[in-house]
Amino acid sequence: AALILLLVGLAGLAAFELSTMRAATVEIADNWLPSVRAANEMDSQLLTARINVMSHVMNTDTAAMEAIDKKVVADRQKFDQSLKDYVKLISADNERKTYDQLVQQWKQYREVDDRVLAFSRKNENDQARGLLEGESKKVFDTTMEMLDQLVKINSDGSDASRTESEATYNTARATLL
């Protein structure tokens, strides 16, 4: 009877430890990794937007600039949608704070690039280039840093979940052996 009770207790402990490991695995798969993917996607979108604004400044052909203007609008819409999608993935206070800073930086970046594009549309390319290489680059770099911080926050969270899962596994294994 004592042996059966011991076996039932060990089976219960093993089931508990397995559920803890599963929770950590689900947290990695459903929280941390989607957030990393989403932040990396926004990173790519921001780079594309920057390249299109630079292309606009380099062009003097009206038709080409109009086509690039359409790309800039589409870039901004994609990034705005990505921000809306990302907010659903936020799971920590520091992530929320960084996200809020990112939203503010994105707003500031758009405002500066609107000025760059206004100069470019008038073929005042020296002014556009000066703004692009100065204030716009500074705001762009800070915006990219916010995205990098989001990736780091979520990568660190994933690492912590993995460590928790490994510790649970090791405890369960030691208990069962």
Side-chain angles (χ1 to χ4, degrees), residues 42 79-80 82-87 90 95-111 139 142-143 146-147 150:
M42 285 189 288
F79 197 88
D80 287 340
S82 293
L83 285 171
K84 288 178 188 172
D85 293 342
Y86 188 89
V87 77
I90 295 173
E95 184 179 16
R96 164 62 71 185
K97 181 180 176 187
T98 302
Y99 172 83
D100 290 342
Q101 291 171 340
L102 171 64
V103 169
Q104 290 305 310
Q105 282 300 128
W106 170 240
K107 180 181 174 189
Q108 187 177 359
Y109 179 73
R110 286 178 64 156
E111 290 169 357
V139 176
T142 304
T143 307
M146 295 294 106
L147 287 167
L150 287 176

Side-chain angles (χ1 to χ4, degrees), residues 10-72:
L10 282 174
L13 177 63
F16 173 76
E17 297 293 345
L18 285 173
S19 70
T20 302
M21 285 176 57
R22 182 178 186 319
T25 302
V26 167
E27 185 174 20
I28 291 169
D30 293 349
N31 176 30
W32 303 118
L33 292 181
S35 296
V36 168
R37 278 194 290 272
N40 281 329
E41 179 65 25
M42 285 189 288
D43 188 284
S44 176
Q45 290 168 348
L46 185 59
L47 286 168
T48 299
R50 179 97 175 140
I51 289 168
N52 284 328
V53 170
M54 290 173 137
S55 294
H56 196 287
V57 172
M58 291 173 31
N59 268 286
T60 55
D61 178 66
T62 304
M65 288 192 299
E66 287 174 0
I68 294 168
D69 274 332
K70 290 178 183 174
K71 288 181 183 181
V72 169

Side-chain angles (χ1 to χ4, degrees), residues 46 49-50 53-54 57 76 105 108-117 127-144:
L46 185 59
R50 179 97 175 140
V53 170
M54 290 173 137
V57 172
R76 290 176 174 191
Q105 282 300 128
Q108 187 177 359
Y109 179 73
R110 286 178 64 156
E111 290 169 357
V112 174
D113 270 3
D114 283 343
R115 295 183 358 238
V116 170
L117 292 167
Q127 294 91 330
R129 201 171 5 265
L131 193 54
L132 187 65
E133 293 170 354
E135 185 179 356
S136 177
K137 181 176 182 343
K138 181 180 175 187
V139 176
F140 170 79
D141 289 345
T142 304
T143 307
M144 291 297 286

